[in-house]
Amino acid sequence: MLIKDIKEILDAKVYCGEDFLEAEVHSACGADLMSDVLAFVKEQSVLLTGLVNPQVVRTAYMMDMRCIVFVRGKIPDAQTIALAEKKDIVVMSTEHRMYVACGKLYTSGLVGIE
Amino acid sequence: MEPLHLHYDVDGDDFISAGEASSEMKKVLRRLGFDPDIIRRCAICMYEGEINMVIHACGGVADVDINEHDIVMKLSDNGPGIEDVEKAMQEGYSTASHNVRELGFGAGMGLPNMKRYSDEMTIDTAVNVGTTVTMKIKV
Ligand SMILES: Nc1ncnc2c1ncn2[C@@H]1O[C@H](COP(=O)(O)OP(=O)(O)OP(=O)(O)O)[C@@H](O)[C@H]1O
Ligand SMILES: [Mg+2]
């Protein structure tokens, strides 16, 4: 799946990283606790979360993730966007809730890793 | 390669910039051309340690020694110390405040993550004196 497909499937608004929408991603994870994300060091390239602060971007950066999706219509603040921009990470926001957003991506072929 | 030493001050009152030292270290490791998997493990260890110093200990210092055989990260603070290290090492154990949890931390996973991703980890701590966590990752 390409990052632009995620935007499409989730009807999401992109806040930064437009240059990387053609990048390919193979798996995703959804979490609101950052240490939970950090606990599974696998090739996950997309993070779905309901938590908005710059540490979400730091966490994604440490994990080599390419894209962050904020769920439930959460709008990222300027600091969060600025940091993501610096780290070449795509940031988008969708109105869907976590369960639905993950389900839509999963059934479209973006799997999780266990 | 020439052995390299990195030093960072980690500000204790600034949750927003927490993780800056880990980001900088990651950048250096990338520039030096280490394996991406090694870099990711180092970054996660350092980041968890850095966040711990900010949320549990009012900040501290981080020192990283890099050579061709291993990467050693040492995080030292003069915070409250850890009373029961064995307990602190258990997954899910956390004394983090409600505020910290709202920011996405306090799952009690940090120290176990650091242990898992490093090849060697030691914790030197004394109540009311401080804590030093040292992690080694072999290249
Ligand atoms: N540098 C430190 N100084 C004092 N106490 C610490 C320090 N690091 C960890 N601790 C203690 O050990 C506990 C467990 O740490 P750990 O990193 O595993 O979990 P956490 O920081 O509470 O949550 P998480 O890491 O999942 O966000 C902490 O809640 C805290 O009580
Ligand atoms: Mg922690």
Side-chain angles (χ1 to χ4, degrees), chain A residues 35, chain B residues 48 52 55-56 110-111:
Chain A
S35 286
Chain B
E48 290 279 17
N52 276 356
I55 64 181
H56 303 300
L111 289 173

Side-chain angles (χ1 to χ4, degrees), chain B residues 17-75:
Chain B
S17 70
E20 197 76 58
S22 310
S23 293
E24 288 301 318
M25 178 197 70
K26 183 163 186 174
K27 237 190 278 172
V28 172
L29 294 178
R30 272 187 178 165
R31 200 176 62 227
L32 292 170
F34 283 102
D35 176 69
D37 205 54
I38 300 266
I39 296 176
R40 190 157 47 194
R41 282 168 56 204
C42 289
I44 293 171
C45 285
M46 176 96 155
Y47 181 56
E48 290 279 17
E50 195 182 344
I51 292 279
N52 276 356
M53 288 203 298
V54 174
I55 64 181
H56 303 300
C58 316
V61 294
D63 286 279
V64 185
D65 279 293
I66 304 166
N67 65 56
E68 59 202 312
H69 306 295
D70 49 49
I71 297 156
V72 179
M73 294 161 281
K74 190 169 113 185
L75 296 115

Side-chain angles (χ1 to χ4, degrees), chain B:
Chain B
M1 66 173 277
E2 286 280 305
L4 187 64
H5 178 82
L6 309 173
H7 176 83
Y8 304 99
D9 291 313
V10 177
D11 189 349
D13 337 289
D14 188 3
F15 179 76
I16 298 295
S17 70
E20 197 76 58
S22 310
S23 293
E24 288 301 318
M25 178 197 70
K26 183 163 186 174
K27 237 190 278 172
V28 172
L29 294 178
R30 272 187 178 165
R31 200 176 62 227
L32 292 170
F34 283 102
D35 176 69
D37 205 54
I38 300 266
I39 296 176
R40 190 157 47 194
R41 282 168 56 204
C42 289
I44 293 171
C45 285
M46 176 96 155
Y47 181 56
E48 290 279 17
E50 195 182 344
I51 292 279
N52 276 356
M53 288 203 298
V54 174
I55 64 181
H56 303 300
C58 316
V61 294
D63 286 279
V64 185
D65 279 293
I66 304 166
N67 65 56
E68 59 202 312
H69 306 295
D70 49 49
I71 297 156
V72 179
M73 294 161 281
K74 190 169 113 185
L75 296 115
S76 303
D77 65 61
N78 301 310
I82 303 174
E83 213 176 283
D84 187 339
V85 174
E86 209 176 303
K87 218 166 164 185
M89 285 303 302
Q90 286 172 8
E91 285 193 6
Y93 176 82
S94 175
T95 60
S97 65
H98 179 71
N99 279 356
V100 165
R101 274 168 225 251
E102 294 218 309
L103 292 165
F105 291 89
M109 294 292 288
L111 289 173
N113 281 351
M114 289 150 76
K115 171 104 189 157
R116 198 143 36 91
Y117 294 132
S118 58
D119 292 306
E120 286 168 34
M121 173 165 124
T122 56
I123 302 177
D124 273 313
T125 184
V127 173
N128 294 328
V129 178
T131 302
T132 297
V133 179
T134 310
M135 292 165 286
K136 181 194 266 191
I137 290 180
K138 293 182 187 140
V139 175

